[in-house]
Amino acid sequence: MVDKRYKRNEAFRYDFGKPLGCEYRHITTVYDIETKSVPFQGEINNISPNGLQLNCSKEDVNNLKNGEQVEVTFTLSTEIFVMVGEVVWEKKDVYGSLYGIKFLTLGMEQTIVDELKKYAKEQLKK
């Protein structure tokens, strides 16, 4: 597994010991018409209220690019999140690609923190 640290300073970032499964879609906009790709399977290595680190396998032949928008769907505790973000960095390796995603969806910061607290408590019980 590749270890990529975010360079930005954030007060809170949750690192999943075992990556959290997710689904993601490429978002393209042409002439103000937004289209989404078929869903791909990915994994979230870590998350903060402002973004996440997405691990994608080689099956996604269209690879995400810096500046591209992506929709990421994942579940924390009981809450299903559908977040739109922008790729801010990428790193390729032999297993696939690792991306830094900055959330564009607004107003979800506190909900993410609350659900991460629930998720962490559930993981301690296992």
Side-chain angles (χ1 to χ4, degrees):
M1 184 164 87
V2 177
D3 183 31
K4 174 78 175 169
R5 301 280 181 214
Y6 276 85
K7 293 181 182 178
R8 56 182 197 252
N9 295 321
E10 289 192 275
F12 181 73
R13 174 165 296 282
Y14 185 85
D15 193 359
F16 296 100
K18 177 183 173 196
L20 180 70
C22 70
E23 207 174 69
Y24 68 96
R25 296 171 183 260
H26 299 254
I27 298 173
T28 54
T29 305
V30 178
Y31 300 115
D32 294 330
I33 298 172
E34 182 179 282
T35 58
K36 297 177 186 176
S37 71
V38 297
F40 294 95
Q41 297 299 311
E43 295 180 326
I44 299 171
N45 294 337
N46 61 51
I47 190 170
S48 77
N50 298 311
L52 57 82
Q53 187 180 80
L54 179 65
N55 194 1
C56 304
S57 70
K58 286 189 168 187
E59 74 179 35
D60 181 2
V61 294
N62 294 322
N63 292 324
L64 296 167
K65 313 235 180 331
N66 279 341
E68 184 177 355
Q69 288 190 5
V70 62
E71 178 185 89
V72 182
T73 303
F74 57 94
T75 303
L76 288 175
S77 189
T78 57
E79 186 82 20
I80 297 172
F81 290 88
V82 179
M83 304 293 288
V84 174
E86 178 181 351
V87 178
V88 293
W89 59 261
E90 65 179 299
K91 181 175 182 181
K92 299 199 183 301
D93 66 18
V94 294
Y95 303 107
S97 300
L98 196 60
Y99 299 98
I101 308 294
K102 179 182 176 188
F103 293 142
L104 300 175
T105 305
L106 301 174
M108 295 298 292
E109 294 87 351
Q110 191 58 50
T111 305
I112 291 172
V113 170
D114 293 343
E115 285 298 307
L116 280 171
K117 288 178 184 178
K118 289 180 196 174
Y119 179 86
K121 282 183 184 178
E122 290 171 4
Q123 296 306 303
L124 288 174
K125 292 179 184 176
K126 290 184 178 182

